[in-house]
Amino acid sequence: MRTPDYPSTESARWAAVDDYFAGLLAPPDADLQAALADNAASGLPAHDVSATQGKMLALFAQMVGARRILEIGTLGGYSTIWMARALPADGKLVTIEFNEAHAAVARRNIERAGLSDKVDLHIGRALDVLPTLSGPFDLIFIDADKPNNPNYIRWALELSRPGTVIIGDNVVRGGAVADPGSDDANVRGVRAFLDFIAAEPRLDATAIQTVGEKGWDGFLLAVVRA
Ligand code: DHB
Ligand code: MG
């Protein structure tokens, strides 16, 4: 069992259900397992999405018929692999990673999975890279430094079209998101992100809490209105 980001007395049971679901519906394959092993061996933080969450992202990509996916925050490329596999043969995934060491691990993981031709990995500050991209993207996954989430959602809108699906990771943070007085910069970033989305007439959104091997967290889900 991985160390949950948000531990609880229930952690082991949540992880057991994730193992059960993942074994049935998102069974481990060699390239995904190797990516997680390399991430750990390289000292990357274990903040990858879980297998069931990776499968969920891949299903979202299929549901929207995504041909172009944008990921802000590559880490070791685990979620990248899940989403890129859901692309059609001519599909592209653009992913941005600030940390060069993390990006080097991600590049190897993506290569091993045979996805180098579909994945365009940019190394640098997302706020420097985003203005160089041209949209629209069909699906956008925001999973980088949370204090910049309000900036990332603005860029996501800029690079979207009506119908684009936007997903934000880690919006619950062990329940801390509900504390309006939090002085945690991550919580404040997520709250400002949610405030922006709530006030943005071009977005229709919800947020969903999850428990599992990562503990208690959740996703923001939004669609750009027609
Ligand atoms: C953290 C970041 C993540 O993207 C994640 O999925 C879990 C935790 C963090 O910075 O704590
Ligand atoms: Mg995350």
Side-chain angles (χ1 to χ4, degrees), residues 5-6 47 143 146 169-170 173 214 217:
D5 289 303
Y6 304 103
H47 291 160
D143 190 20
K146 312 312 173 197
D169 196 17
N170 313 115
R173 316 198 65 79
K214 296 183 71 176
D217 211 332

Side-chain angles (χ1 to χ4, degrees), residues 4-29:
D5 289 303
Y6 304 103
S8 150
T9 54
E10 299 298 315
S11 294
R13 298 178 70 204
W14 296 343
V17 174
D18 255 350
D19 280 351
Y20 169 61
F21 285 162
L24 283 174
L25 305 171
D29 73 48

